[in-house]
Amino acid sequence: MLLNATTNHPILLVHGLFGFERIGPFELFHDVKQALKAAGAQVFVPHLSAIHDNEIRGEQLLLQIDTVLRGTGATKVNLIGHSQGALAARYAAALAPHNVASVTSVSGPNHGSELADFLRKALVPGRLPEVVAQNVATRFADFLSLLSGQKALPHRALAALGALTTEGVGNFNDKYPQGLPEVWGGHGAEWVNGVRYFSWSGVVPQFEGPSLDPVQSICRALSEYFITELAQNDGLVGRFSSHLGTVIRSDYSLDHLHTLRRASGQPAMADDAISLYVEHALRLQAADL
């Protein structure tokens, strides 16, 4: 039996760092988008800079929200942002709440990333490693844009990294605090300026032995660089750092990248990321969003 998860407003899936809509036959949000469409939702994936700061990506998102509204005749959109995409979604909702029905943060670094802090400290400003890292990351992002065949957008690797550190996101939060918890690890306001805020995230699955999924192995290795949220992170973002608005759950057994897709060789009883998006569309539907 097919679910009816048709929402009042279109859903925009907003990608994070090094994200894209499509490269050849491969779509970043393919499984998520297909599952939502099969459930009756109207879904779009905006084209944003693969690497840049939160405000620049947020401005790009605002332009594409306008395009979707004009093209569909809708009055508002539901934004679901993965990783840094959550910060772009928050920016858009803060500046144009009349165009946004809801913001959902999925594995969003809403209080910064300890991994970004570690990387920023490792790259001494002006020294060769920083210059090399910036050039490599920026050229890789330019290459992704070329492969995607879409309009080239600006890329700034160090701006993106700085925007994801605890300090960088702290500065962002001072300007755009909508939906943030007042207590560490708590829930934030459900409604702000007519926009409904939600979040969910996971932690790196705990099991003995090596993982058969290379992405999961990478996230497990990166998770060891966390101090404040050691064993309570998804490899890139800490569990409590991800909290925003109504926290649906922040300890799904899912690493950062597997909140976008199913893990290969996934156990039958493991959390299913794709189902979470469909469940959330039903939640939006129930809330008349």
Side-chain angles (χ1 to χ4, degrees):
M1 180 180 177
L2 291 177
L3 291 172
N4 177 9
T6 305
T7 54
N8 271 1
H9 309 289
I11 293 173
L12 271 64
L13 300 171
V14 188
H15 68 73
L17 193 70
F18 289 116
F20 52 87
E21 180 182 1
R22 175 192 290 270
I23 291 180
F26 183 76
E27 295 178 294
L28 184 67
F29 283 106
H30 176 76
D31 291 342
V32 175
K33 187 167 73 170
Q34 292 304 110
L36 289 172
K37 284 187 172 181
Q42 192 174 22
V43 186
F44 299 89
V45 180
H47 175 49
L48 308 183
S49 290
I51 47 173
H52 218 306
D53 65 40
N54 304 317
E55 284 90 344
I56 292 294
R57 299 181 82 247
E59 285 293 327
Q60 294 167 355
L61 179 57
L62 283 170
L63 292 175
Q64 297 199 43
I65 289 172
D66 287 340
T67 299
V68 169
L69 295 180
R70 288 196 305 271
T72 62
T75 57
K76 293 186 177 184
V77 296
N78 291 302
L79 300 175
I80 301 180
H82 179 262
S83 192
Q84 191 188 11
L87 302 178
R90 287 176 50 198
Y91 177 91
L95 268 67
H98 53 286
N99 286 341
V100 179
S102 71
V103 168
T104 302
S105 166
V106 178
S107 304
N110 293 305
H111 295 274
S113 167
E114 289 186 68
L115 181 63
D117 291 344
F118 175 82
L119 292 173
R120 181 63 271 183
K121 289 176 182 176
L123 298 174
V124 180
R127 297 290 180 86
L128 184 60
E130 183 194 59
V131 175
V132 171
Q134 163 138 301
N135 287 340
V136 169
T138 299
R139 288 178 182 177
F140 179 64
D142 290 340
F143 181 60
L144 289 178
S145 291
L146 180 65
L147 291 179
S148 72
Q150 293 183 307
K151 176 184 175 182
L153 293 172
H155 296 125
R156 298 290 183 273
L158 293 182
L161 179 59
L164 293 171
T165 62
T166 302
E167 180 181 5
V169 178
N171 293 334
F172 178 85
N173 289 345
D174 287 342
K175 293 184 283 186
Y176 316 108
Q178 293 84 351
L180 291 173
E182 294 184 2
V183 178
W184 178 251
H187 292 249
E190 293 183 354
W191 291 93
V192 183
N193 296 332
V195 180
R196 185 76 162 85
Y197 287 85
F198 303 90
S199 62
W200 85 72
S201 60
V203 296
V204 172
Q206 300 299 313
F207 52 83
E208 298 296 328
S211 170
L212 298 177
D213 189 312
V215 170
Q216 197 168 75
S217 295
I218 292 170
C219 287
R220 286 181 70 181
L222 293 176
S223 70
E224 298 300 320
Y225 288 93
F226 285 70
I227 298 173
T228 302
E229 298 198 72
L230 183 64
Q232 292 291 316
N233 67 80
D234 64 11
L236 276 75
V237 175
R239 172 185 176 184
F240 298 121
S241 180
S242 74
H243 284 198
L244 182 78
T246 297
V247 181
I248 297 161
R249 185 175 162 186
S250 59
D251 63 346
Y252 287 111
S253 185
L254 294 166
D255 62 54
H256 191 79
L257 297 178
H258 286 122
T259 49
L260 274 178
R261 66 181 184 89
R262 293 185 178 96
S264 58
Q266 177 171 293
M269 296 302 291
D271 291 318
D272 179 12
I274 308 307
S275 295
L276 295 180
Y277 287 88
V278 177
E279 289 172 13
H280 191 57
L282 290 168
R283 189 177 291 113
L284 296 174
Q285 181 191 71
D288 203 26
L289 299 169

